[in-house]
Amino acid sequence: MNSKFLANVDKLEPGTWQVSIKAGGWEPQSSAPGSLAKGEGRRSFLKLTAAAMAAPLLFASPDSSAGRRRAPNPTPAPAPEPGPVVLPPSPPTIPWVEELPSAITPLQPATLGLAPTGEAQVDRGECGRNKHQRWAEMYATPRQYPPVHYKLHAKENPAWVFNPAYPPQRIWGYAIGAGAAATTPGPTIMARYGQPVVVRFFNRLPQDHTGFGSPEISVHLHNAHTGSESDGFPGDYFSPLKAGPTLAEPGQWKDHLYSNIYAGYDQMQNGIGDEREALGTLWYHDHTFDFTAPNLYLGMAGFYLLYDHIDSGNERDPNPSALRLPSHPYDYPLSFGDRRFDAGGRLIYDQVEPDGTLGDKIAVNGKIEPVLKVAARKYRFRLLDIGPSRIYEFYLQKANGVSQTFTHIGNDGNLFAAPLKNQTSVRIAVAERADIVIDFSQYPIGTELYLVNRLVQTRSRMPDGIGAATQLLKFVVDRYPPEQDLSQVPNVLREQPPLDLAEIAAAPVRRWVFERKNGMWAINGQFFNPNSARAVIPKGGAEVWELVNIDDGWSHPIHIHFEEGRILSKTKDGVAVPVPPYEQGRKDVYLLQGMSSIRLFIRFRDYVGKYVMHCHNLIHEDHAMMLRWDIKEDD
Ligand SMILES: [Cu+2]
């Protein structure tokens, strides 16, 4: 496509890579021990392909043969540095016809024919993961509730309907069984603190896949406090045919242990951790090295909601400590992903263009311009931006454009200390969540309301600013609830862990600079290497991390795996700016908007192993704005 990629490949792996093309696939070849990890081969291939492919091939639908396995052209024509290719708009859709279900259906527990074990069961088809940490303690020792098991099958669905105007088409998602249809988002898991969960993830994606996306999986439970072997580390991708550079063996499935303890387990010595660290709105998604963007764009994401005795998921809970927020079926997760379609209404994506493919149609729980019929009562909505790049500022409006108010109760995984009442807007970047409560009881039956986005964005790099509203989802208040609405939003939600200023002042400081480099994105000048830790932190440690964006004109929503942090201070264009109320709680995504910095305080407790920090603009992530950091036993 252009010379910057060639230059880039040279700089990335000077003379270390070779790629051979085979029928139906490719394998990296390493001539010296340690000179080339499999993942680096994939990356080199991607860049080589990017450099060589002609423009018409870049916008491959998943049904086309143009994709990453195409043989590179050995003599690419040099081209001037181009801007992002301007794509024609997606064809018109038919609004407000497709209905979302009136309630989500939680995933039901499954019986595992083969009991889970701490060690990987490679002789029974499991991939060669590291053994589960603290298995006996976290799984086998009886805790508050017995362990519960789930199965999820990563699969292709050949006939997904985004909108009635578009043909049924291929998506990737998660299914409840080998014979069941995959959906996007995948089934919602409702989990509980004190109850360990094992999810057995099967990879049933077509291994002969062509087009964008790659049929390996590494499932990350975003925001989870879990052992690294269950974290979905990007190098831990697997299929029946391939193992990522940090796995020992390929496999058909992999068990993830989500112990559902609060962070601070070791510190508190109470068998459960610090309840002030509770997480609520988590989501699982593919995190395969170099292919997170296309795989997630194809649909590989789902919700994981976590409850405890405070946020108990029961609005009729008689326990005095229970908040009694609106609960299932009035607790409803909503994902928002920008997508683009060709003239025939088929999903298109450019997995080599470093500006990505900014979608002009927004899939809301996999449907474009859907309707949700609601009862005249309070609802809790968990809004999630699943990317790849678009940032939203949501408003609730009547058809005439008049803004309505709602209550903002949480950001990312967590509830605030106190609700933010009478809000009219909420902004979320990729992977951020907003937990809001809308009270539809104030509207007559028949009222129509719209969730709209007013943040205009014409390039993937950052939003342009507030502008005209785009209606994304229509609510129709169509009935009275069958029972009295006993839910509430109390004035006190979740106590936050205290910040100790002396401890913060004494904490080690790491500075991470996010920057554009050679047409890609780097952290402290380096691209992602899954085999090399850029920070090694003793278990139980606490640090101050400074996230710095030195490039104006780019937004980077930075995600740190494993534990949440607290924002201490922010700057914009070198000047200190206040931390807004919705960012004063715990967070796992830190949005750098233009030339800016964020100082945060973060702990590293209870587990050891490899984790990552990365930009959650999926394009930037896949183009190397990620780093590995490790927790080691404190000895
Ligand atoms: Cu970024």
Side-chain angles (χ1 to χ4, degrees):
M1 182 172 76
N2 57 56
S3 53
K4 66 189 173 188
F5 278 105
L6 280 180
N8 205 7
V9 171
D10 289 343
K11 279 207 189 312
L12 254 184
E13 287 106 19
T16 60
W17 50 266
Q18 287 180 289
V19 178
S20 70
I21 309 297
K22 297 177 182 172
W26 62 275
E27 291 300 330
Q29 314 238 312
S30 177
S31 54
S35 68
L36 175 65
K38 285 182 183 178
E40 290 167 324
R42 289 157 60 92
R43 174 164 298 282
S44 299
F45 181 84
L46 191 68
K47 301 302 172 291
L48 196 60
T49 307
M53 284 172 72
L57 295 177
L58 296 180
F59 307 105
S61 84
D63 296 324
S64 107
S65 62
R68 69 189 178 94
R69 291 192 175 81
R70 204 175 174 85
N73 178 345
T75 54
E81 168 102 10
V85 179
V86 177
L87 294 169
S90 300
T93 40
I94 304 171
W96 327 131
V97 173
E98 193 83 38
E99 260 189 55
L100 297 180
S102 63
I104 58 154
T105 305
L107 181 63
Q108 293 305 302
T111 303
L112 299 182
L114 180 67
T117 58
E119 301 283 342
Q121 304 185 72
V122 289
D123 54 338
R124 306 295 294 271
E126 186 171 17
C127 68
R129 61 166 166 81
N130 287 349
K131 68 178 181 185
H132 290 302
Q133 296 173 52
R134 313 182 79 156
W135 174 255
E137 185 183 355
M138 295 296 179
Y139 175 87
T141 306
R143 301 243 306 281
Q144 204 169 349
Y145 308 99
V148 63
H149 303 148
Y150 296 98
K151 289 180 188 172
L152 281 174
H153 302 256
K155 280 185 69 181
E156 181 167 297
N157 179 336
W160 183 259
V161 176
F162 286 98
N163 183 274
Y166 294 169
Q169 58 191 280
R170 172 197 295 189
I171 56 112
W172 285 358
Y174 301 91
I176 58 174
T183 60
T184 179
T188 299
I189 293 175
M190 287 187 168
R192 178 163 288 278
Y193 276 100
Q195 180 161 48
V197 161
V198 170
V199 184
R200 184 160 292 174
F201 289 102
F202 293 86
N203 184 349
R204 300 187 188 280
L205 294 172
Q207 296 303 305
D208 58 352
H209 171 71
T210 56
F212 64 80
S214 189
E216 297 81 43
I217 64 170
S218 181
V219 187
H220 171 52
L221 181 55
H222 184 112
N223 197 202
H225 186 61
T226 189
S228 72
E229 62 285 350
S230 296
D231 189 51
F233 182 79
D236 281 357
Y237 62 81
F238 72 94
S239 74
L241 306 175
K242 289 181 187 165
T246 46
L247 281 186
E249 301 277 349
Q252 292 160 5
W253 54 274
K254 180 172 184 248
D255 280 346
H256 284 204
L257 169 63
Y258 305 128
S259 51
N260 295 329
I261 55 163
Y262 306 106
Y265 175 90
D266 285 338
Q267 226 172 336
M268 303 296 281
Q269 293 290 311
N270 62 357
I272 186 76
D274 185 345
E275 69 183 37
R276 297 170 298 188
E277 298 281 1
L279 313 170
T281 308
L282 297 82
W283 60 298
Y284 59 91
H285 67 82
D286 192 57
H287 214 312
T288 293
F289 178 32
D290 273 346
F291 291 94
T292 295
N295 284 5
L296 218 156
Y297 188 80
L298 278 164
M300 303 191 72
F303 285 93
Y304 182 106
L305 307 180
L306 192 45
Y307 299 94
D308 68 357
H309 59 292
I310 295 171
D311 184 8
S312 71
N314 176 9
E315 65 190 40
R316 293 166 176 265
D317 194 334
N319 180 344
S321 63
L323 296 174
R324 295 184 16 231
L325 296 165
S327 62
H328 181 71
Y330 308 108
D331 179 357
Y332 204 106
L334 289 167
S335 67
F336 298 82
D338 57 292
R339 301 290 182 266
R340 194 173 280 262
F341 298 84
D342 67 14
R346 290 187 176 276
L347 190 67
I348 51 171
Y349 186 73
D350 180 351
Q351 68 186 6
V352 294
E353 163 58 50
D355 262 16
T357 302
L358 184 71
D360 60 347
K361 293 289 180 183
I362 309 304
V364 184
N365 283 4
K367 303 290 181 182
I368 296 164
E369 294 163 331
V371 177
L372 179 59
K373 292 180 175 169
V374 294
R377 54 153 289 152
K378 290 189 283 302
Y379 277 69
R380 177 181 187 179
F381 292 105
R382 327 272 193 131
L383 312 178
L384 163 68
D385 181 350
I386 58 170
S389 301
R390 192 176 279 279
I391 300 176
Y392 301 91
E393 189 156 318
F394 294 114
Y395 291 73
L396 181 67
Q397 293 186 344
K398 286 190 167 173
N400 61 8
V402 174
S403 281
Q404 308 295 295
T405 59
F406 54 84
T407 306
H408 191 184
I409 61 171
N411 183 304
D412 291 356
N414 332 291
L415 294 172
F416 297 136
L420 303 172
K421 296 179 178 176
N422 297 312
Q423 303 295 298
T424 54
S425 70
V426 59
R427 180 180 291 210
I428 53 173
V430 184
E432 283 190 299
R433 286 84 76 208
D435 210 334
I436 66 170
V437 173
I438 300 176
D439 188 354
F440 295 107
S441 71
Q442 59 191 306
Y443 303 108
I445 301 298
T447 301
E448 297 179 351
L449 298 166
Y450 296 87
L451 194 69
V452 309
N453 174 36
R454 290 191 56 197
L455 195 57
V456 176
Q457 190 167 347
T458 50
R459 301 184 73 173
S460 67
R461 51 181 57 189
M462 75 183 299
D464 306 336
I466 293 293
T470 303
Q471 296 173 334
L472 306 182
L473 168 67
K474 177 176 174 174
F475 296 110
V476 180
V477 184
D478 80 327
R479 63 192 187 278
Y480 293 106
E483 69 295 295
Q484 191 188 355
D485 179 3
L486 293 178
S487 72
Q488 58 175 17
V489 181
N491 288 326
V492 175
L493 295 171
R494 175 88 61 181
E495 184 186 350
Q496 301 293 309
L499 289 172
D500 179 338
L501 295 180
E503 184 189 18
I504 292 168
V509 177
R510 288 181 209 269
R511 179 179 164 91
W512 303 113
V513 177
F514 298 81
E515 63 183 320
R516 190 110 165 102
K517 185 180 176 188
N518 300 336
M520 303 213 301
W521 292 271
I523 306 174
N524 287 4
Q526 294 181 42
F527 300 119
F528 179 53
N529 178 349
N531 296 304
S532 169
R534 306 265 298 278
V536 179
I537 301 150
K539 188 169 92 167
E543 302 195 347
V544 170
W545 284 17
E546 289 180 358
L547 313 180
V548 183
N549 183 11
I550 59 170
D551 292 327
D552 206 9
W554 297 90
S555 285
H556 299 300
I558 305 302
H559 174 44
I560 302 174
H561 284 212
F562 186 62
E563 277 222 35
E564 295 179 299
R566 297 284 290 281
I567 297 179
L568 303 172
S569 61
K570 298 175 72 165
T571 68
K572 178 83 176 91
D573 299 320
V575 178
V577 292
V579 180
Y582 63 87
E583 288 185 335
Q584 290 177 12
R586 292 167 288 131
K587 281 190 67 60
D588 63 67
V589 180
Y590 311 91
L591 177 59
L592 297 170
Q593 302 188 84
M595 197 108 64
S596 57
S597 72
I598 291 176
R599 268 174 79 89
L600 63 98
F601 179 71
I602 187 166
R603 297 181 191 280
F604 305 86
R605 294 172 286 185
D606 308 321
Y607 288 103
V608 296
K610 58 191 190 303
Y611 296 92
V612 287
M613 170 174 71
H614 59 89
C615 180
H616 223 298
N617 178 323
L618 303 176
I619 314 297
H620 301 179
E621 172 180 347
D622 278 355
H623 291 83
M625 189 175 259
M626 176 150 60
L627 62 77
R628 169 178 166 174
W629 53 269
D630 288 8
I631 305 174
K632 65 165 178 119
E633 285 293 351
D634 189 20
D635 44 23

